[in-house]
């Protein structure tokens, strides 16, 4: 049963990544969020195939899995997420060069940081520093997301604000426990942890899309209202 739940959680993350990633690009032209969502989905697809083929640590899929893991934990669902959401919070529109540059930076970070996976952070100083870095950037991102929640609440999008706050709290809990506090009741493959993590990351993709949509629609309505008021005053 636990293996079925794990596979369902992974499929959920894959679906949310590809489906809502495409919607971010097609509907809003937001390539930062759209492509990062698809990176998460591709990571989930690789993880799914690796698991179904026996989850061998000698497989190249194992190395790819931890490249994607490092990619998103370091830059993807941190810096790229914040920059993407700033389109509806600060009307930020990055240039093509910025889009390419930040993904190149995330790729370099993923290639470098993946080498520290598997080391015990309580024993290896390098692994401890990397694990602590993941937690710090996650907490910094959570701080921005608290601001995002406030913007949603002020805009009248109460439920998107509540769900964004809840899923962000869940994701932060996953980030803190990931390297430092493994579940004592888990098995050798950490099936329970990864089931919770995959389900949470997929739900982030789902919830953040609708939160983004709510704030986007509010901004459009506010802009139309201001234009109407300006026209009436002239």
């Amino acid at each position: 049963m636990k293996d079925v739940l794990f596979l369902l959680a992974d499929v959920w993350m894959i679906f949310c990544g590809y489906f809502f990633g495409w919607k971010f690009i097609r509907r809003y032209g937001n390539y930062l969020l759209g492509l990062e969502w698809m990176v998460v989905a591709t990571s989930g697809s690789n993880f799914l195939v690796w698991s179904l083929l026996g989850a061998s640590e000698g497989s190249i899929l194992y190395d790819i899995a931890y490249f994607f893991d490092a990619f998103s934990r370091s830059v993807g669902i941190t810096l790229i997420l914040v920059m993407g959401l700033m389109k509806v919070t600060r009307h930020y529109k990055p240039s093509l060069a910025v889009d390419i540059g930040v993904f190149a930076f995330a790729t370099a970070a993923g290639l470098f940081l993946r080498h520290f996976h598997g080391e015990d952070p309580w024993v290896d100083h390098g692994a401890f520093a990397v694990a602590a870095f993941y937690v710090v950037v996650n907490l910094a991102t959570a701080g921005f997301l608290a601001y995002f929640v406030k913007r949603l609440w002020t805009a009248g999008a109460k439920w998107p604000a509540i769900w964004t706050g809840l899923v962000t709290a869940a994701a932060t809990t996953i980030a803190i426990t990931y390297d430092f506090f493994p579940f004592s009741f888990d098995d050798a493959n950490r099936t329970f942890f990864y089931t919770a993590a995959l389900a949470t990351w997929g739900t982030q993709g789902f919830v953040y899309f609708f939160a983004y949509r709510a704030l986007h629609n509010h901004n459009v309505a506010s802009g139309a209202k201001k234009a109407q008021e300006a026209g009436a005053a002239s």
Side-chain angles (χ1 to χ4, degrees), residues 62 66 69 73 113-119 178-179 194:
Y62 180 81
Y66 289 107
D69 183 74
R73 292 176 72 195
L113 295 173
R114 70 183 178 86
H115 295 292
F116 294 92
H117 178 80
E119 301 296 333
Y178 196 118
D179 294 301
Y194 282 117

Side-chain angles (χ1 to χ4, degrees), residues 56-201:
S56 169
E57 294 188 7
S59 169
I60 189 174
L61 298 178
Y62 180 81
D63 292 329
I64 293 173
Y66 289 107
F67 159 73
F68 280 124
D69 183 74
F71 181 108
S72 289
R73 292 176 72 195
S74 62
V75 181
I77 304 298
T78 55
L79 178 61
I80 292 175
L81 173 62
V82 170
M83 291 173 64
L85 292 178
M86 283 175 64
K87 186 172 183 178
V88 289
T89 60
R90 308 294 297 178
H91 304 291
Y92 173 65
K93 295 181 180 179
S95 65
L96 177 61
V98 170
D99 284 349
I100 294 173
V102 73
F103 276 99
F105 176 54
T107 300
L111 289 171
F112 174 71
L113 295 173
R114 70 183 178 86
H115 295 292
F116 294 92
H117 178 80
E119 301 296 333
D120 186 347
W122 299 115
V123 176
D124 185 275
H125 295 302
F128 181 89
V130 171
F133 166 74
Y134 286 146
V135 172
V136 169
V137 293
N138 182 275
L139 291 174
T141 304
F144 175 85
L145 286 165
Y147 161 73
F148 184 61
V149 167
K150 182 178 181 295
R151 288 292 304 273
L152 287 165
W153 191 271
T154 303
K158 300 293 194 296
W159 281 112
I162 291 170
W163 282 112
T164 298
L166 289 174
V167 77
T168 299
T172 299
T173 301
I174 292 295
I176 293 172
T177 59
Y178 196 118
D179 294 301
F180 291 115
F181 306 105
F183 298 161
S184 59
F185 54 83
D186 217 340
D187 57 29
N189 294 321
R190 304 188 71 186
T191 304
F192 288 108
F193 171 79
Y194 282 117
T195 299
L198 294 168
T200 299
W201 296 333

